[in-house]
Amino acid sequence: MRLLQGGAVYLRDNWINLLCALALASLALTPSLVPRPTVFQGFLAGLWLMVGFQLGFALRSLGRVAARRFGPVAPRRQPRATVPPRSAVRLGLMVGAGVVAYAVGYGALVMSWQNEVRALVEMEPIDGPGYLTAFLSMLATGALCFGIFRGISGVRALVSRVVARRGASPRAARWVGRGAGLAVTVVLVAILVGAGLVAVGQIYEGRDAQTLAGSGQPTVATRSGSPQSALEWDGLGRQGRAFAGGGPSAANIGAVTGTAAVEPVRVYAGLSQGANVVERADLVVEELERAGGFDREVLLVATPTGSGWLEPQAIASLEYLFGGDTATASMQYSFQPSWVSFLFDPELAADSSRALFDAVYERWEGLPEDTRPRLAVYGLSLGAQGMQGSFAGLADLLFRTDAALFTGPPANSQPWRTLQENRDAGSPVWQPTYQQGRDVRWQSKPGDFGQLGGEWRQPRLGYLQHATDPITWLDPAVMIQRPEWLAGPAATGGRGVDVSDSMRWIPGVTFLHLVTDMLVSEAVPPSHGHNFGDVAVDGWAQVLPGHGRSSEQLAAIQSVIERIDTHDPIWE
C-alpha cells in the first residue's frame, strides 16, 4: 500500500515531467522516411522519453523563476505528511491511468503509421510481438536513463548537503550542487563520446586488417594484390581486398552475356600504401599502366565510402555491360565509417578523389585521342560527394569526363545542390529536371532516365536518387524550415510516392529523424532508402551508351546483379 501511495504522490508531483516525457516519446514515434527495426525504435523512444522527463525539471524551474519575478511570492512548500492524503493518491492514480490509456491508444496509432511506412517501401508489416518488442526496448532504455539521471541527482544532493554543513547558505548550497551535477553530466558525456570514438577507431582499424569471406587473393595480372602487382594483397585493406578479389571473371561475364569477354582490370591502393593521397594516386596510375588499364574501352575512376567500400553492383554492372573491357581505379582514404570522416574531416574524400582523378587524367590526356579509353567517374554516398568535389562545377565535369554516375549524394554535395536548386520549374525536388535533361538526369527506378525524352547529349551526368533516402535530405536547414520534399501529399506531387503522407515536418524533430534514419537507410529493399542495387545496370547503360547489349542481355545482367551480396553497409 505504501508503495502505491508513494508512486501516486510521485506522479502527482511530477506531472509536468510526465507530460514532457510523453510529448518527446510521441514525437520520436512519428513517421519518418524509412521504417526502423523494432528494438532500435524502442531504444529511440525510451531515450526521448527520459530526455523529456528531465526537460520537465527545467520547465518547472523556469516556472518558479517567472512566478517570483512577475507574480506574488508562493509560500514555501510544507514537508510532506508521512501518509499522503487520499486526494493526492486519487490524483496520482488518475494521472497514472491517463498515461496508460494514452500509451495504449497512441501505440495503436504508431503501429498503423509504421506499417504504412513499411508498406510504401515494400516491407512486411509489424505485428503484436513486434510492437511488444519495441515497447519493452523503450522501457529498458528509459529505466537505464532514469537510473543514470537519478545517480546524477544523488551527486547534486550530496554536494549540496556537504556544502551546507560547512556553513554555506541554502541558496549557495543549491547552486553548488547544481554545478556539481552539471559537471558530472559533462564529464560523463565526454567520457562516453570519447570512449565511443576511440572504440570505433580501434574496432575499424582491426576490421581493416581482416579479409571478408569470399575475398580470395587474385591470381590474374589485371588485379591489384595479385602476384604480378606491386601493391601487396595485405596492404589493400579489408574493402580493397573485397574489391580486388571479387567481381566477375571473364568466364562469368561470357556465361551471362553469351559473348566473348576479357578479364576486367581492378586497381586499388590501400591506406598504408603511400604516405599521402598524392603518393597513393601515383601508385594507382602505375598499377593501371602495368595492368593495361589505359588500353581498355572504359576507364572508371571511383571514390569509395569512408571505410573504403565500393558498391559491388555498380562496378560489376559496368564490367558486364562492356564484356570486361573496363578498368576501375580507386584508393582508400580512411578505414573509419563514413559518418566519422564526414564529421571530423569532411574534405578528406574530396582531397583523395581530386588527387586520384588528376593523376589519372594527366596520364589519360597524354594518350593519342583515338586510343584513349572512355573516361568515367563514380561515387556512392560520401564517395559521390568526394568525386564531385574534384571538379569546379558541371562544365568542368562534362569537359574532363565522358560520363559520370553519382549515387545517393549527400545534401551538401556540389554541383548536385546547385543543380537541384536551379531545376526546371514544376519538376519535383526528389526527381528534378535540369535544362530539359540535355546534360544531367535523375533516376530512382530503372527507366527513369529515358522517361524524360528529348536529347541527352554526351558527355552525360546521371544521379541515382530516392525520395526516401535520408542521406540525400540530411540538411541542417530542415531544423527550422520545411523541406521541399515534404511540401504536400504524394497524390498532388508534394512528395515521393513512397514517402508516407502521415509524415509531417516538425521543427528540430524531422532533422533528428533523418539522422537516425540514416543509420538504417540500407535495411530496405532496392528502389528505396539508400539501396540502389537494382538501378546500377540501367544507370550505366544510359550514361555510357554504345555497349551494344540487347534487351535480353540487359535482363540477364540485371538478374545477376540483383543477386549480388553487398557484404557491408555504407555507413558502417
Side-chain angles (χ1 to χ4, degrees), residues 269-292:
L271 194 60
S272 64
Q273 295 168 324
N276 51 52
V277 293
V278 174
E279 288 190 13
R280 281 195 295 279
D282 290 340
L283 289 173
V284 170
V285 173
E286 291 175 9
E287 273 286 276
L288 282 172
E289 292 272 17
R290 180 197 62 78

Side-chain angles (χ1 to χ4, degrees), residues 41 85 101 124 130 140 163 203 225 251 335 349 381 384 388 393 429 457 550:
Q41 180 66 80
E124 292 295 322
V163 172
I203 290 171
F335 55 74
S381 196
Q388 287 181 86
V429 69
R457 303 181 300 194
S550 66

Side-chain angles (χ1 to χ4, degrees), residues 423-501:
R423 66 188 185 276
D424 295 348
S427 62
V429 69
W430 60 89
Q431 195 170 359
T433 302
Y434 180 78
Q435 295 182 350
Q436 292 79 50
R438 288 194 296 267
D439 300 306
V440 187
R441 297 193 180 188
W442 280 259
Q443 177 161 280
S444 178
K445 294 184 178 181
D448 286 349
F449 279 151
Q451 286 183 357
L452 192 59
E455 180 189 12
W456 192 5
R457 303 181 300 194
Q458 298 185 52
R460 295 177 175 180
L461 166 58
Y463 286 106
L464 305 183
Q465 175 176 303
H466 291 155
T468 50
D469 187 355
I471 293 174
T472 293
W473 310 121
L474 183 61
D475 184 349
V478 175
M479 288 189 285
I480 58 174
Q481 179 180 338
R482 185 177 68 175
E484 292 183 273
W485 47 270
L486 281 180
T492 63
R495 62 186 67 194
V497 295
D498 53 350
V499 178
S500 170
D501 284 340

Side-chain angles (χ1 to χ4, degrees), residues 314-338:
I315 308 302
S317 293
L318 186 66
E319 293 168 341
Y320 276 107
L321 282 172
F322 288 90
D325 197 9
T326 62
T328 303
S330 187
M331 68 184 194
Q332 185 181 16
Y333 53 86
S334 170
F335 55 74
Q336 301 272 24
S338 288

Side-chain angles (χ1 to χ4, degrees), residues 48-421:
W48 285 44
L49 179 81
M50 293 314 301
V51 169
F53 193 85
Q54 296 303 307
L55 180 63
F57 288 115
L59 291 179
R60 288 164 60 176
S61 296
L62 289 174
R64 287 193 294 268
V65 170
R68 287 196 297 268
R69 177 67 178 84
F70 301 106
V73 178
R76 184 178 295 275
R77 178 182 292 179
Q78 298 300 317
R80 295 177 184 171
T82 303
V83 179
R86 291 183 178 179
S87 59
V89 174
R90 284 197 297 269
L91 179 59
L93 291 175
M94 289 174 61
V95 172
V99 170
V100 172
Y102 176 82
V104 172
Y106 191 74
L109 180 60
V110 166
M111 196 157 81
S112 171
W113 282 339
Q114 291 299 314
N115 282 336
E116 178 186 0
V117 173
R118 296 176 75 88
L120 289 170
V121 299
E122 303 172 79
M123 292 180 68
E124 292 295 322
I126 56 173
D127 51 14
Y131 171 67
L132 180 61
T133 299
F135 182 70
L136 293 176
S137 174
M138 181 184 71
L139 291 182
T141 304
L144 176 62
C145 293
F146 184 76
I148 294 172
F149 291 143
R150 291 292 289 179
I152 295 173
S153 298
V155 170
R156 184 178 61 210
L158 177 62
V159 171
S160 296
R161 288 196 300 270
V162 171
V163 172
R165 290 194 193 108
R166 297 192 176 187
S169 66
R171 181 181 178 86
R174 285 196 300 270
W175 278 107
V176 172
R178 290 169 182 168
L182 178 61
V184 170
T185 302
V186 171
V187 170
L188 183 61
V189 170
I191 291 175
L192 290 175
V193 173
L197 290 175
V198 170
V200 167
Q202 292 177 343
I203 290 171
Y204 285 92
E205 184 176 9
R207 285 166 64 88
D208 195 53
Q210 300 171 0
T211 300
L212 281 165
S215 300
Q217 183 176 4
T219 57
V220 293
T222 57
R223 304 291 184 103
S224 291
S226 65
Q228 300 88 342
S229 172
L231 296 176
E232 295 183 358
W233 172 253
D234 290 340
L236 296 181
R238 181 175 190 248
Q239 301 297 353
R241 287 189 290 275
F243 168 71
S249 66
N252 297 144
I253 296 171
V256 171
T257 62
T259 57
V262 295
E263 292 290 342
V265 173
R266 289 192 173 197
V267 171
Y268 192 98
L271 194 60
S272 64
Q273 295 168 324
N276 51 52
V277 293
V278 174
E279 288 190 13
R280 281 195 295 279
D282 290 340
L283 289 173
V284 170
V285 173
E286 291 175 9
E287 273 286 276
L288 282 172
E289 292 272 17
R290 180 197 62 78
F294 290 102
D295 299 324
R296 296 304 176 102
E297 182 177 354
V298 177
L299 172 56
L300 174 65
V301 183
T303 301
T305 62
S307 63
W309 187 72
L310 289 163
E311 186 184 43
Q313 294 99 323
I315 308 302
S317 293
L318 186 66
E319 293 168 341
Y320 276 107
L321 282 172
F322 288 90
D325 197 9
T326 62
T328 303
S330 187
M331 68 184 194
Q332 185 181 16
Y333 53 86
S334 170
F335 55 74
Q336 301 272 24
S338 288
W339 63 267
V340 174
S341 298
F342 181 78
L343 287 176
F344 296 100
D345 197 349
E347 297 301 319
L348 185 59
D351 292 343
S352 178
S353 301
R354 190 177 301 110
L356 179 57
F357 180 81
D358 287 349
V360 172
Y361 184 78
E362 182 180 4
R363 176 68 183 86
W364 175 88
E365 193 177 28
L367 298 172
E369 287 193 31
D370 58 346
T371 64
R372 293 174 184 168
R374 300 167 72 183
L375 184 59
V377 292
Y378 167 79
L380 167 67
S381 196
L382 187 60
Q385 178 178 319
M387 183 55 78
Q388 287 181 86
S390 304
F391 303 94
L394 176 62
D396 183 41
L397 189 154
L398 295 176
F399 177 76
R400 295 205 288 163
T401 67
D402 293 298
L405 188 67
F406 298 126
T407 302
N412 59 343
S413 303
Q414 289 290 3
W416 175 87
R417 190 179 184 99
T418 298
L419 297 174
Q420 292 266 143
E421 292 172 347

